[in-house]
Amino acid sequence: LSMHTAPFIQPSYITSDGKSDTHVEQRIKKCRSYFALCEVGMCYPGLDSLTKAHLWRSICSPCLLYGTDSMFMSETDFKKLESTQGTYVKKSLGLGKRSHHSNVLLALNIRKTKEIVMQNVLSLYNRMFKCDTPVRTLNCALLSQYFMKQKLVKGTILSAIVSAGFSPIDIAFSQKKVNVSSHGDGVVDSLQYLLCHENYVKPYSVHHLLTQLLTKSF
């Protein structure tokens, strides 16, 4: 079953078994087609790292993660999405396959795909309880069942929130935005300095070479 939206977004793919494999593969394929234009954008030699990161967050990341907040996502699905994000960001920065991407993403303020999806899930769940709709009635019933019988329906948003360690009551009725994010360390700070330096765009500069060494080691 496909739910058609804007032409550039493409549909969400919902299969009868409730799995998101098909949808994830389609999102990766769609993101790849956007990144194919990288030679006139993200991979342009003279473009600085912060602008490349901004382009990824503004264009490629929303395309890659569209619809993932409203379906059950397995750890395998998240690994595929994270691998895709890491591969393309490294490519845009001129880093090879052997470079680790986790600290690079933190240095450029690019959040992990799982964090972004969970942030969207929490926001969606909170908005569900703000309007008197059949969706709110259904989620109230699921919430009551969870507290009275400790029963969770696999694949629901409530199940995803509880599995992530959040309180569904706090999320449902909170007036503040809950932030899901990772914290950096000394390596991340060093990479941030190197990646954002004006000389990083030069392939054989000290800053570029040091970045390659750091990302291969950490």
Side-chain angles (χ1 to χ4, degrees), residues 6 12 47 51 78 130 172 214:
S12 296
L47 197 64
T51 304
F78 280 122
K130 291 184 176 180
L214 276 176

Side-chain angles (χ1 to χ4, degrees), residues 165-218:
F166 293 95
S167 167
I169 289 292
D170 290 343
I171 300 302
F173 303 105
S174 175
Q175 299 299 319
K176 298 180 180 180
K177 183 179 179 180
V178 179
N179 290 318
V180 182
S181 60
S182 299
H183 300 285
D185 52 22
V187 176
V188 172
D189 293 338
S190 298
L191 283 173
Q192 189 174 48
Y193 169 77
L194 293 170
L195 288 166
C196 297
H197 197 278
E198 60 181 8
N199 287 332
Y200 180 79
V201 296
K202 303 173 183 178
Y204 299 103
S205 66
V206 174
H207 298 81
H208 200 286
L209 294 174
L210 283 175
T211 300
Q212 289 182 324
L213 289 173
L214 276 176
T215 53
K216 288 180 179 178
S217 302
F218 300 96

Side-chain angles (χ1 to χ4, degrees), residues 28-124:
I28 292 175
K29 186 182 298 184
K30 188 64 179 177
C31 182
R32 188 182 299 120
S33 67
Y34 272 92
F35 196 79
L37 302 174
C38 63
E39 291 184 2
V40 294
M42 288 183 63
C43 284
Y44 181 71
L47 197 64
D48 63 275
S49 301
L50 288 179
T51 304
K52 291 178 179 180
H54 176 73
L55 288 173
W56 175 265
R57 290 192 300 266
S58 303
I59 302 173
C60 296
S61 181
C63 173
L64 178 65
L65 302 181
Y66 175 77
T68 53
D69 57 342
S70 58
M71 58 180 63
F72 175 75
M73 299 287 292
S74 67
E75 287 299 320
T76 302
D77 294 328
F78 280 122
K79 286 180 180 178
K80 289 180 181 178
L81 293 172
E82 189 62 28
S83 176
T84 300
Q85 174 171 262
T87 298
Y88 288 157
V89 171
K90 286 190 299 183
K91 184 177 180 181
S92 72
L93 296 170
L95 299 173
K97 294 182 179 180
R98 293 186 179 182
S99 295
H100 303 289
H101 64 259
S102 298
N103 288 329
V104 172
L105 297 180
L106 283 174
L108 294 177
N109 197 28
I110 298 176
R111 300 163 67 191
K112 293 182 178 179
T113 55
K114 189 173 184 178
E115 291 178 0
I116 298 174
V117 172
M118 181 51 61
Q119 187 80 61
N120 293 338
V121 167
L122 298 180
S123 177
L124 176 61

Side-chain angles (χ1 to χ4, degrees), residues 141-152:
L142 292 172
L143 195 58
S144 300
Q145 187 179 46
Y146 169 65
F147 281 110
M148 294 177 66
K149 301 180 180 179
Q150 294 296 303
K151 185 177 180 181
L152 284 171

